[in-house]
Amino acid sequence: MEEIEIKFAVKDTKAITEKLRKMGFRVAVGRHREKNYLFDDPAQSLQQAGKLLRVRKTPSSQTVTYKGPISSASKLKHREEIECRIEDADVLIQILEQAGFRIRTEYSKYRTVFEKDAFNISLDETEAGNYLEVEGPSDDEITKLGEKLGYSERDFVRRTYAELIGEKRGG
């Protein structure tokens, strides 16, 4: 499945939440803490290829995700995404480590998920700042929604949370 998304930096989480509600978005998943573990081999070949292997733990689910490289053909982030629920993240982490993978990056964030029509919007509170991550059906529709929220193309953040948090941590 192809993921189409873009992030926008958020200065005022209460104001953007109110704006989303006024536009008819509903809270699909209330504010919760996510713990993310990004894996790579010792040569860091996934990171070098722009790929990602992630195990995520939330209060309601645990998932494993593969993401392909971000396409350079668009101003938004387009990438292949394969994800499934898992029964026990800690066991999968052990399996990956025994298979030669290592945790490259580990980070937590608080996330609130909003939905309306074909849009999935996450308000993410991270150590690198607060972001609105907008997933939608097309570049054009995501861009139009961003404009309605007060953002323009110059506000697009294409970097991943691992990159943003890594920069904040000085690494």
Side-chain angles (χ1 to χ4, degrees):
M1 179 174 171
E2 182 182 44
E3 172 185 66
I4 306 171
E5 70 176 24
I6 199 66
K7 290 180 188 71
F8 299 105
V10 173
K11 289 178 179 62
D12 185 339
T13 58
K14 287 182 181 175
I16 200 71
T17 296
E18 187 59 31
K19 196 177 268 193
L20 287 167
R21 288 192 173 151
K22 285 181 179 175
M23 292 173 66
F25 281 86
R26 66 174 185 82
V27 175
V29 183
R31 186 176 185 267
H32 63 281
R33 185 174 184 256
E34 287 185 352
K35 184 77 176 167
N36 296 278
Y37 303 87
L38 305 185
F39 287 85
D40 212 333
D41 59 25
Q44 301 212 1
S45 56
L46 291 174
Q47 183 180 12
Q48 289 175 16
K51 298 177 181 179
L52 178 141
L53 178 60
R54 177 185 69 212
V55 174
R56 174 177 283 166
K57 295 162 70 170
T58 73
S60 63
S61 70
Q62 300 174 72
T63 57
V64 60
T65 306
Y66 163 82
K67 292 189 180 198
I70 298 170
S71 168
S72 59
S74 170
K75 292 180 181 175
L76 275 69
K77 283 174 52 184
H78 284 248
R79 69 194 308 189
E80 178 184 16
E81 179 180 64
I82 304 167
E83 183 171 82
C84 72
R85 288 181 178 261
I86 54 175
E87 188 174 315
D88 190 327
D90 294 325
V91 170
L92 180 57
I93 288 169
Q94 282 185 306
I95 290 168
L96 290 170
E97 288 177 333
Q98 291 299 318
F101 289 92
R102 296 289 173 252
I103 295 173
R104 172 177 62 88
T105 304
E106 188 177 324
Y107 64 91
S108 294
K109 65 183 172 197
Y110 286 95
R111 171 170 272 186
T112 305
V113 179
F114 299 85
E115 289 180 348
K116 180 183 172 190
D117 302 325
F119 290 97
N120 181 300
I121 298 179
S122 298
L123 176 57
D124 293 326
E125 302 164 61
T126 78
E127 65 187 81
N130 300 326
Y131 293 89
L132 206 60
E133 188 173 83
V134 180
E135 287 187 50
S138 70
D139 289 26
D140 190 46
E141 290 187 58
I142 292 171
T143 301
K144 284 179 184 172
L145 178 61
E147 289 169 358
K148 289 178 186 171
L149 291 168
Y151 296 102
S152 70
E153 208 175 283
R154 72 177 177 279
D155 299 312
F156 287 0
V157 177
R158 286 176 46 104
R159 289 176 293 165
T160 66
Y161 284 123
E163 292 168 330
L164 293 165
I165 291 169
E167 288 170 16
K168 178 75 174 175
R169 291 177 179 170

